[in-house]
Amino acid sequence: GSPDKDPQARVATIRLAGEQNVPFTSGLLIGIGETREERIDSLLALRDLNDRYGNIQEIIIQNFRPKPGTRMAHVPAADTDDH
């Protein structure tokens, strides 16, 4: 439900920033329905971008906590194995 979080658009933004030598922070939000493979793919994509442009200054790994009254209120929080 967040069009600005589209993975292809975000990779393109980081790539464009890299082409302009602009430092960039990115990250992963754990527990929003992604698989372990998707998390690994995301980290590898970020690594590849940084290997090419060297502009990623940090990658933040954050856990998602479902909140009452939101669309994902019924989703259980990720367990420690997911982190």
Side-chain angles (χ1 to χ4, degrees):
S2 301
D4 62 329
K5 305 258 189 238
D6 175 67
Q8 291 177 348
R10 293 183 65 81
V11 166
T13 299
I14 297 170
R15 181 184 50 77
L16 291 171
E19 290 172 357
Q20 298 298 313
N21 208 25
V22 174
F24 213 89
T25 295
S26 190
L28 276 77
L29 186 58
I30 305 294
I32 56 171
E34 77 290 343
T35 66
R36 177 177 172 80
E37 183 176 80
E38 289 169 330
R39 290 192 296 267
I40 291 168
D41 288 345
S42 295
L43 288 169
L44 292 174
L46 290 169
R47 182 196 64 189
D48 292 346
L49 286 164
N50 192 64
D51 285 351
R52 181 163 184 184
Y53 301 106
N55 68 318
I56 297 179
Q57 58 189 6
E58 71 179 326
I59 296 174
I60 299 168
I61 309 297
Q62 183 176 354
N63 62 316
F64 172 77
R65 301 290 306 250
K67 294 178 181 57
T70 65
R71 286 177 56 189
M72 292 188 68
H74 67 284
V75 176
D79 62 26
T80 55
D81 288 342
D82 288 323
H83 295 276

